[in-house]
Amino acid sequence: MRIIATENYEAMSHQAANIVASQITLKPDSVLGLATGSSPIGLYKELIARYEKGDLDFSKIKSVNLDEYVGLATTHDQSYRYFMQDNLFNHVNIDVANTYVPNGMAADPEAECKRYDEVIRSMGGVDIQVLGLGHNGHIGFNEPSDVFHLGTYLVNLKEGTIDANARFFASRDDVPRQALTMGIQSIMLARQILVVVSGEDKANAVKACFGGPVTPSVPGSVLQLHPNVILVADKAALSKL
Ligand code: GLP
């Protein structure tokens, strides 16, 4: 595993963009595994800026997102599909038909999870997976558990995750209690993993994921077993590692 330490969030975003931009340059038809949350927003801004300068071409890129809330339509401004359109897809020349986010409105969530795994398989797997970290060490919406889940599944969100994400909703009651998320195996099958983390409030999660035992009670700790992980984090996030 490689660690790139940066001064702050902006520098973290810049370094992470260098890595994703290299991937796109070297393999223009890459499959990008994408994440939501505040951590990758700066990275997406940098990618948009490089696209606008003419340095990046997304026309052959495909993408799969990690997760989606159950019960939020794609038009809801807190759905992860909406987030991706707003923070990246609407601003670059990616073909939206080549972008995938689990359908949180699916009548049969189990069938939707199977379909999503098939989508990832049919694309030939993920070339580079972007990840943020939850405060409890979650990746995607893989919450602390007794087991590592394999493929995409329906997850009940932990109270702490609902608390953390309440800031984006009108009230805590509006935060969905369930999500569909890629499983740990789906994430671990990515050929490269890029973790972006910023801020002192994530220092304990970074320590637990990268400086402690590998355990499903800290889902991100499994990344220690992946052969090609790059952690790009600012000094504050790395302060306890
Ligand atoms: C959410 C997402 C994760 C994300 C995490 C951290 O729960 N499902 O993919 O990594 O929050 O979010 P943030 O980057 O806003 O701290």
Side-chain angles (χ1 to χ4, degrees), residues 26-46:
L26 293 171
K27 190 180 176 201
D29 59 348
S30 290
V31 177
L32 307 181
L34 299 176
T36 55
S38 47
S39 304
I41 288 181
L43 156 63
Y44 297 151
K45 281 206 174 96
E46 287 260 353

Side-chain angles (χ1 to χ4, degrees), residues 187-237:
I187 294 171
M188 290 293 278
L189 283 173
R191 290 182 266 285
Q192 181 169 215
I193 295 181
L194 171 62
V195 190
V196 284
V197 201
S198 167
E200 205 178 342
D201 61 311
K202 294 285 177 72
N204 283 329
V206 170
K207 185 182 176 200
C209 289
F210 299 106
V214 175
T215 163
S217 62
V218 182
S221 65
V222 76
L223 299 172
Q224 294 177 47
L225 303 178
H226 192 282
N228 195 6
V229 174
I230 308 176
L231 169 63
V232 184
D234 63 17
K235 281 182 177 169

Side-chain angles (χ1 to χ4, degrees), residues 24 36 51 61 63 66 68 73 84-85 99 103 106 109 111 119 129 144 147 170 177 196 200 221 225 229 234:
I24 294 172
T36 55
Y51 163 74
I61 293 293
S63 74
L66 285 166
E68 179 60 283
M84 289 312 303
Q85 294 296 139
T99 68
N103 176 10
V119 165
Q129 176 67 57
V147 292
R177 269 38 185 176
V196 284
E200 205 178 342
S221 65
L225 303 178
V229 174
D234 63 17

Side-chain angles (χ1 to χ4, degrees), residues 152-170:
T152 306
Y153 66 105
L154 175 69
V155 62
N156 295 319
L157 301 180
K158 298 279 185 196
E159 291 299 317
T161 299
I162 294 164
D163 291 340
N165 290 349
R167 67 190 195 277
F168 300 117
F169 290 82

Side-chain angles (χ1 to χ4, degrees), residues 136-149:
N136 58 10
H138 75 225
I139 50 177
F141 266 135
N142 287 275
E143 295 280 36
S145 168
D146 296 337
V147 292
F148 287 121
H149 290 267

Side-chain angles (χ1 to χ4, degrees), residues 50-98:
R50 291 172 198 213
Y51 163 74
E52 285 171 348
K53 269 176 65 190
D55 288 344
L56 283 180
D57 175 17
F58 289 79
S59 61
K60 296 196 188 75
I61 293 293
K62 293 182 181 154
S63 74
V64 280
N65 260 79
L66 285 166
D67 47 12
E68 179 60 283
Y69 286 116
V70 167
L72 294 194
T74 56
T75 49
H76 191 291
D77 67 0
Q78 291 308 321
S79 77
Y80 285 169
R81 162 57 74 179
Y82 190 100
F83 175 103
M84 289 312 303
Q85 294 296 139
D86 203 30
N87 287 291
L88 183 63
F89 300 155
N90 289 347
H91 310 284
V92 297
N93 66 334
I94 197 164
D95 180 350
V96 175
N98 289 334

